[in-house]
Amino acid sequence: MIMRTSALQYLYLQKPITTVILICAIALLPWLNSDFYTKGEPREASVAVSMIKSGNWILPEVYAGEFAYKPPMAHWLMAAFSLPQGFVSELTARLPSAVAQILLIGFVLVFFGKRIRFQEAFIATLLLLTCFEIHRAGMTARVDMLLTTFTVLGLMQLYRWENKLELKGLPLRLPLLFSCAILVKGPVGIILPSFVFFVYLLTLRKYSFAKILKSLLYICVSSLFLPMIWYAEAYRQGGEAFLNVLLAENFGRFFHLSESAITYDLGHKEGFFYNFITLLAGFIPWTILLVFSLFGAKWRLPHKSFPQILKDAWRRFQSMEKMKRFSLVAAVCILFFYTIPSSKRSVYLMPAYPFLSILLAQYFIYITENRSKVTRVFAFVLTAVASVIFLAGLFIMTRTVDLYALAGQYTTNASTLHAIESLTNAFSVSSITSPIIMGLLLIAIITVIYQTTKRINIKILYATILMTFCINLFVDGIIMRSIKNNTSARPFAEQISRQYDLKNNIYVMNNLREYGNLYGMNFYMGNTFRDFEREKPAEGYFLIIEKDLKKLMKQYGTQYQFEQLAISERQGDIRSQSVLLRFSK
């Protein structure tokens, strides 16, 4: 069954914002309640757990007495979503990111839809919500989606401030948005948008340098007022230890400063080209269409000197429509900004994605209308991938192929076989979710094939976006749900909590330079871990990563007697087995 054109036109022309928000909600909300499977999510969620349990909403203690590395806005929201049910779950911990992405998508469509061709804005939002990096970030209990939303909304308001008011007055929404951004991840919440806006104002050649600096000073000072209340109270509670973490996290990463004042390595140290590679990966599958378009282009070497090429490029830049220029400046500045720190992560670049999506949408519409062969080839390739995915799922679901038996011929690794068994069970026909998703994927495949037989090329682009959406549903609703639950620390945490009296008597090593931290176990055991090295208890229970056992015995084997009680079957979020020990002097 292929959706009728009249229905598509109604949704697009009459209810575009509602349609996009509904699509985004379907892509995110049903899949938030699966187990944590990485270290980062339970680490952030445990802060909200501590807030609710201790009543300390400023600098709560997590993981054996340490305090959170980041400001508390994301954790406040996690705790607020959790209060009605009285505890923090995976769903309530991930809801702030999901809601932030839905708001971001809606505002991107409204903001750009008023300033460029609405079709370009509409397609840009669809590219944004189906690309890998943004989609993934909206489903995780981390701070990055919130930071992206506040930063991008703030940049939009800065554009409106200049475009409508010519920097006169100071709209209240500006300091509010940037205050929230600072309370999500620190000073970068105001430094990055100020840098983008500074460069953009310079390119306009409309304001004096003094006027630009004065405007930025007003924004920065007003945006720091609310966060400084929290920073002052956090310093009162945390003292020098808090100050060291603050300086390391916010300035040590950027200026490559020493990490000796803190008890862990900042990590994520990558080379110059890392950001460019992750940006291409983060925009998958749309970077594939971009690459395809390059092969179909006619390249001609310019017969001009390099200075003349630069002058021509600058002239074309100056002649750009204002909104397109702002988007280009924002994207380039954000990318440049994050090439400076030694610490790099793909999620840092997310504030650039909405602006890049506008540029990509305009380009994709152009090649779809003028070089339709590129779009058609991409549609065929994506259809082939989707068809393979569909057939593989169908064979597993109908038990035509016994994936577990097939894998058993090539590996005896228990963890791998367990993962394959869980994946097979995810396709069980007794679950209504898998057949529905499989049906939607089949409809999307048929829709793309049907549209490629027609002459309206733009519908091929829409059909490939629909198919990407259905592939994401397949991955999130079937594959990733199984993988998350398979690698979760929950089963082992519940097992040992039932078998042993661990209440206020479970110790860990909290020394990230030497030992790995079990953030997943800590969350699923109620954030009750205590610091072994700091307390030096006479007896109790001890949790450790299996690969760290030898190091523990070498360091404390002569002072304590250790008895192994249990070891997890799965490697979990730490990619190693967890071991429960009983110790005594």
Side-chain angles (χ1 to χ4, degrees):
M1 176 181 177
I2 300 169
M3 188 177 291
R4 294 175 57 192
T5 303
S6 58
L8 287 171
Q9 289 176 339
Y10 173 78
L11 291 173
Y12 169 67
L13 297 175
Q14 302 299 324
K15 303 287 184 180
I17 298 173
T18 302
T19 301
V20 166
I21 290 177
L22 181 61
I23 292 172
C24 194
I26 293 172
L28 298 176
L29 298 182
W31 326 116
L32 299 181
N33 207 28
S34 54
D35 286 356
F36 291 139
Y37 73 111
T38 63
K39 293 186 293 184
E41 287 191 282
R43 182 182 63 200
E44 304 295 346
S46 293
V47 181
V49 171
S50 181
M51 285 179 172
I52 293 176
K53 282 189 172 183
S54 68
N56 185 341
W57 293 70
I58 302 297
L59 200 66
E61 289 190 354
V62 294
Y63 202 88
E66 74 180 21
F67 49 81
Y69 300 155
K70 303 179 183 73
M73 174 63 78
H75 313 116
W76 286 343
L77 292 174
M78 292 178 192
F81 279 120
S82 303
L83 282 175
Q85 66 184 21
F87 64 94
V88 180
S89 65
E90 297 90 348
L91 171 63
T92 57
R94 289 166 174 156
L95 264 178
S97 292
V99 172
Q101 181 175 330
I102 293 171
L103 289 175
L104 175 66
I105 294 297
F107 277 106
V108 165
L109 180 58
V110 172
F111 178 79
F112 288 106
K114 292 180 179 179
R115 292 166 176 82
I116 59 176
R117 287 173 54 195
F118 189 80
Q119 184 185 54
E120 295 174 348
F122 188 73
I123 290 178
T125 56
L126 297 179
L127 299 180
L128 189 63
L129 69 87
T130 53
C131 74
F132 172 75
E133 193 69 71
I134 296 294
H135 176 69
R136 179 183 66 164
M139 301 180 67
T140 56
R142 303 295 293 267
V143 304
D144 304 291
M145 193 70 246
L146 277 168
L147 177 65
T148 297
T149 298
F150 286 126
T151 301
V152 172
L153 295 187
L155 285 169
M156 291 176 179
Q157 295 307 314
L158 286 174
Y159 177 87
R160 291 182 73 252
W161 184 37
E162 188 285 321
N163 194 49
K164 284 193 171 185
L165 301 177
E166 296 184 331
L167 306 183
K168 296 175 184 176
L170 185 63
L172 181 61
R173 62 177 68 96
L174 279 172
L176 285 178
L177 286 168
F178 292 132
S179 292
C180 289
I182 295 169
L183 283 170
V184 169
K185 205 171 182 179
V188 70
I190 185 62
I191 294 173
L192 175 59
S194 296
F195 170 63
V196 172
F197 196 52
F198 172 74
V199 174
Y200 172 67
L201 292 178
L202 288 180
T203 65
L204 292 180
R205 297 192 293 181
K206 182 179 177 181
Y207 305 99
S208 67
F209 194 73
K211 174 69 173 177
I212 294 173
L213 291 181
K214 182 180 177 181
S215 300
L216 292 176
L217 181 63
Y218 285 161
I219 296 170
C220 292
V221 171
S222 60
S223 299
L224 287 172
F225 178 74
L226 289 177
M228 287 307 297
I229 297 175
W230 174 80
Y231 277 110
E233 180 59 22
Y235 177 71
R236 188 187 69 80
Q237 291 188 24
E240 186 178 352
F242 167 76
L243 184 61
N244 289 337
V245 170
L246 170 68
L247 294 175
E249 287 286 338
N250 294 284
F251 301 102
R253 288 185 187 275
F254 200 85
F255 296 108
H256 308 206
L257 300 179
S258 171
E259 303 168 4
S260 58
I262 57 176
T263 59
Y264 60 94
D265 296 324
L266 292 173
H268 308 297
K269 295 178 181 178
E270 305 290 347
F272 176 80
F273 292 102
Y274 176 82
N275 283 344
F276 300 94
I277 295 170
T278 57
L279 187 64
L280 291 174
F283 250 113
I284 284 176
W286 308 116
T287 43
I288 299 174
L289 176 55
L290 179 64
V291 171
F292 279 14
S293 71
L294 299 180
F295 287 104
K298 295 181 180 179
W299 299 94
R300 294 179 181 176
L301 293 176
H303 300 288
K304 300 177 182 178
S305 63
F306 185 69
Q308 186 60 45
I309 294 174
L310 292 178
K311 287 182 181 178
D312 291 345
W314 177 251
R315 189 161 48 248
R316 286 195 296 270
F317 173 77
Q318 289 293 321
S319 64
M320 279 183 180
E321 57 187 41
K322 205 171 183 180
M323 190 70 259
K324 189 173 182 179
R325 181 195 297 193
F326 180 72
S327 298
L328 182 59
V329 169
V332 171
C333 286
I334 292 168
L335 184 60
F336 169 77
F337 182 87
Y338 281 115
T339 59
I340 300 173
S342 59
S343 181
K344 297 178 177 68
R345 294 183 65 221
S346 60
V347 291
Y348 294 169
L349 303 178
M350 288 200 307
Y353 278 61
F355 303 102
L356 286 171
S357 68
I358 292 297
L359 302 175
L360 283 178
Q362 293 173 332
Y363 178 65
F364 288 163
I365 292 172
Y366 169 78
I367 64 171
T368 299
E369 293 174 346
N370 296 279
R371 290 161 49 202
S372 61
K373 185 180 292 186
V374 172
T375 307
R376 289 175 180 271
V377 170
F378 174 70
F380 282 126
V381 171
L382 196 62
T383 302
V385 173
S387 299
V388 170
I389 291 173
F390 175 80
L391 291 174
L394 184 64
F395 290 154
I396 296 172
M397 182 183 295
T398 59
R399 299 297 191 266
T400 303
V401 174
D402 189 340
L403 192 62
Y404 184 82
L406 185 64
Q409 299 177 15
Y410 298 95
T411 181
T412 58
N413 184 277
S415 179
T416 302
L417 292 174
H418 182 74
I420 292 173
E421 183 181 18
S422 300
L423 181 60
T424 302
N425 293 335
F427 285 94
S428 173
V429 293
S430 61
S431 170
I432 193 173
T433 304
S434 297
I436 290 175
I437 293 175
M438 293 286 289
L440 291 173
L441 183 57
L442 179 60
I443 291 172
I445 293 171
I446 294 173
T447 302
V448 174
I449 294 173
Y450 174 77
Q451 292 299 339
T452 54
T453 65
K454 303 299 180 179
R455 295 184 178 181
I456 306 178
N457 295 318
I458 194 66
K459 289 187 178 181
I460 300 175
L461 181 58
Y462 278 113
T464 55
I465 294 173
L466 170 64
M467 188 157 59
T468 302
F469 172 78
C470 291
I471 291 173
N472 286 343
L473 284 184
F474 180 91
V475 172
D476 297 325
I478 301 177
I479 305 297
M480 287 306 299
R481 177 177 287 269
S482 175
I483 290 175
K484 289 176 183 180
N485 293 336
N486 178 67
T487 55
S488 169
R490 180 199 290 274
F492 189 59
E494 293 177 345
Q495 172 194 330
I496 61 176
S497 296
R498 287 192 304 266
Q499 294 178 350
Y500 305 97
D501 182 17
L502 304 179
K503 188 175 182 180
N504 296 322
N505 196 28
I506 183 73
Y507 293 87
V508 292
M509 303 294 286
N510 189 16
N511 181 356
L512 279 172
R513 293 190 188 275
E514 299 292 336
Y515 295 88
N517 279 4
L518 298 100
Y519 291 111
M521 292 292 293
N522 180 56
F523 174 80
Y524 286 116
M525 296 180 71
N527 192 43
T528 57
F529 287 180
R530 301 172 70 172
D531 191 334
F532 180 81
E533 289 189 305
R534 184 170 63 183
E535 297 189 31
K536 295 291 194 304
E539 60 180 9
Y541 295 92
F542 194 97
L543 262 177
I544 193 168
I545 297 173
E546 192 272 337
K547 62 184 180 182
D548 289 339
L549 262 177
K550 289 183 179 179
K551 189 182 300 182
L552 175 71
M553 295 304 172
K554 182 178 180 180
Q555 187 172 0
Y556 289 100
T558 58
Q559 304 173 40
Y560 288 88
Q561 291 183 336
F562 291 95
E563 175 191 0
Q564 182 171 315
L565 301 178
I567 184 168
S568 63
E569 295 181 359
R570 309 176 185 180
Q571 292 188 345
D573 56 90
I574 53 175
R575 306 299 181 261
S576 179
Q577 291 173 291
S578 303
V579 181
L580 177 67
L581 308 169
R582 182 188 284 122
F583 67 88
S584 60
K585 284 192 174 181

